[in-house]
Amino acid sequence: MTDPMLREAFTAIADRAEPVDDLTDRALRTATRRHKTRVVAGAAALALAVAVPVTVVAVGGDSNTEVLGPSDRSPSGPPQNAPSGLPENTPEERALARACMRNGPPVGSMGENRPDMGSASDFRLLTTMPVRGGRLAEVGSRHGYVLCVSDGRGNTEPPKFNAWPGKPHGGLFGFGAPLRVDGIRQVQAVSGWDELHAVVVGRAKPEVVKISVAWAGGRTDEAAVRNGFFLAQTPAKMMPDHGVTGPMANGAMSSPTIRVLSVTGYDAGGRVLHTWRPKVRTEEAGFTPEDCTDGLTRPRPTLCD
């Protein structure tokens, strides 16, 4: 498929994109920080019935083929022509960003619209990688970011807003280390109601050109490093939860905890520039900026600073 054809396809996708009901998000609450999520089989079946239809723009018929070109793993570092630290986007990238935002504002922790945090047009595609059935992406504004798994027409979850963690002095790339982790959580996959992605996202200085993530159990993955932002993922899956008793026991499901061991950044010569390791257990299994303000985490997560 040629570049003009790709542009035409993404434009058509953007034109007909519509918000998707959030029934899937209500039925499937993934494990993120301090507890296992459980859902009932009936709710899972409902989520499957209302899931977004899979329509993937792919080259050569492979759903994991790069559809946005080699820039998916382009050198890191904030672009010089964007003082805010956000990248300029191509029309195809803007279409994917709008799909991730469901053509509307981000939502808060209770699913409420947050127009005070910007409209869909304020969010840029920061970095992305192919996954089965579509793309995993991070989109962001100067206020914060949204994680997305998309088949090109929407987001498998409501576009939950996450404020940029850490002190804001110096802008998005004003932190001292070569890289910093911004979030660790699980998100719903496109490929099935019981499939998830365990995701790590963060920011990196220009000298960091490669980032690897290690999870417990021997899993490792190379992150997509692009525009000074990175994300990595490893598959997760909802499983029967035999520890549930009572009326909810029949068909109860949970997501196994996948702990992060380390995030390591390398320069162009392969030299290790920085390795981040979790110091608080909530960081090992999941972290969102709400951990910095919920008053429950002791000691204070290092990702808050």
Side-chain angles (χ1 to χ4, degrees):
M1 181 175 287
T2 64
D3 288 343
M5 293 172 65
L6 283 173
R7 284 194 293 270
E8 182 179 354
F10 271 96
T11 299
I13 288 170
D15 289 341
R16 66 174 181 265
E18 297 179 352
V20 181
D21 292 340
D22 62 350
L23 294 178
T24 301
D25 185 68
R26 295 200 297 268
L28 295 173
R29 301 292 185 184
T30 59
T32 55
R33 295 195 292 277
R34 286 178 284 278
H35 63 277
K36 293 195 304 180
T37 299
R38 297 180 173 91
V39 297
V40 182
L46 174 61
L48 180 61
V50 300
V52 180
V54 176
T55 302
V56 182
V57 179
V59 180
D62 182 0
S63 62
N64 285 343
T65 302
E66 304 283 342
V67 300
L68 294 181
S71 60
D72 279 1
R73 292 187 181 269
S74 62
S76 62
Q80 299 302 313
N81 59 349
S84 65
L86 299 175
E88 297 294 339
N89 277 177
T90 65
E92 294 90 346
E93 292 167 339
R94 288 196 296 270
L96 179 56
R98 289 195 301 271
C100 285
M101 297 303 296
R102 296 185 173 182
N103 284 326
V107 302
S109 58
M110 301 300 292
E112 73 279 13
N113 285 341
R114 291 294 307 272
D116 56 314
M117 291 303 167
S119 63
S121 61
D122 295 321
F123 284 76
R124 311 282 186 85
L125 179 66
L126 304 179
T127 185
T128 179
M129 64 166 52
V131 292
R132 190 158 68 92
R135 299 195 73 84
L136 172 66
E138 179 188 19
V139 299
S141 70
R142 62 187 180 89
H143 296 293
Y145 69 90
V146 168
L147 289 177
C148 170
V149 185
S150 179
D151 63 0
R153 295 189 293 174
N155 190 340
T156 59
E157 300 182 358
K160 184 178 182 301
F161 178 82
N162 300 276
W164 294 114
K167 299 176 181 178
H169 307 300
L172 285 177
F173 297 90
F175 49 89
L179 64 84
R180 69 157 296 144
V181 174
D182 290 326
I184 302 170
R185 55 171 293 211
Q186 295 187 26
V187 293
Q188 179 66 45
V190 170
S191 48
W193 68 265
D194 59 343
E195 296 186 18
L196 309 166
H197 299 284
V199 180
V200 177
V201 293
R203 289 164 278 170
K205 299 289 184 64
E207 61 268 24
V208 179
V209 299
K210 177 183 175 181
I211 295 175
S212 63
V213 177
W215 284 271
R219 302 188 189 191
T220 60
D221 185 62
E222 182 177 341
V225 184
R226 184 175 180 269
N227 300 317
F229 302 89
F230 69 86
L231 84 165
Q233 71 88 32
T234 189
K237 195 175 184 68
M238 301 293 288
M239 303 175 62
D241 192 334
H242 302 295
V244 180
T245 59
M248 301 293 288
N250 185 24
M253 306 284 284
S254 67
S255 171
T257 297
I258 300 178
R259 299 192 178 279
V260 175
L261 301 181
S262 64
V263 179
T264 302
Y266 305 83
D267 65 13
R271 180 171 63 96
V272 173
L273 295 177
H274 182 69
T275 297
W276 175 87
R277 291 185 176 86
K279 295 181 174 61
V280 182
R281 286 194 65 82
T282 53
E283 292 176 349
E284 296 176 11
F287 171 86
T288 62
E290 286 86 350
D291 286 325
C292 300
T293 58
D294 64 8
L296 300 176
T297 305
R298 296 290 183 271
R300 183 178 174 86
T302 54
L303 292 179
C304 300
D305 300 323

